[in-house]
Amino acid sequence: ENGVIYDTHSHSFLPPRPSKLGSFSNALKSEEVGIVCIGETHTHPLHHRLQLRTIQGVHRMDAKPMAIGLEMFLREHQPILDNYVAGKIGLGKLLREVSWNKTWGYDFRLYAPIFRYAR
């Protein structure tokens, strides 16, 4: 489970442990930060775990509602995503309605924990 996070604010690599994030967590607490962008190699499980941990950490820092943006979705998918987050549909229906295999095609199991957390 070794991995690193690149902090563009401090221009340095950070370990993926919230207690060690220093300037990254301080920057997130700042009123100036409104967006956190997290990238990954689409097939790398560690990257997806780091994404989830970062989303969870940001959520714990601030009680305000948060949005999780995902590059694979089109604007017309938003009502489907909203229905999933609201608990009106399950993951299976969400995947069918957004045509996951056609629209994105990467292994959904890598993304599922983020979707579950978003709900």
Side-chain angles (χ1 to χ4, degrees):
E1 288 229 1
N2 293 330
V4 294
I5 297 171
Y6 185 74
D7 179 356
T8 58
H9 181 73
S10 68
H11 304 287
S12 62
F13 288 94
L14 305 166
R17 282 173 260 127
S19 63
K20 304 289 185 186
L21 292 179
S23 67
F24 180 70
S25 62
N26 290 336
L28 289 176
K29 292 176 186 175
S30 164
E31 291 293 324
E32 297 174 20
V33 175
I35 298 172
V36 176
C37 297
I38 311 166
E40 91 283 339
T41 299
H42 301 317
T43 57
H44 199 299
L46 175 61
H47 293 183
H48 290 275
R49 286 194 300 273
L50 290 173
Q51 285 179 321
L52 177 61
R53 289 180 188 164
T54 303
I55 291 166
Q56 291 168 330
V58 169
H59 189 230
R60 280 191 298 271
M61 288 178 170
D62 193 337
K64 296 177 194 166
M66 75 183 302
I68 301 171
L70 299 161
E71 69 180 297
M72 71 284 292
F73 293 110
L74 305 174
R75 184 175 292 165
E76 64 247 27
H77 292 145
Q78 191 60 54
I80 301 163
L81 295 165
D82 292 342
N83 283 338
Y84 170 75
V85 171
K88 295 177 181 177
I89 63 171
L91 279 176
K93 186 166 185 175
L94 177 131
L95 295 177
R96 286 189 303 278
E97 290 193 12
V98 301
S99 303
W100 178 269
N101 289 331
K102 181 180 175 188
T103 304
W104 195 240
Y106 290 101
D107 186 351
F108 183 75
R109 292 174 295 184
L110 296 170
Y111 297 85
I114 293 171
F115 279 82
R116 288 188 191 101
Y117 187 76
R119 186 176 253 185

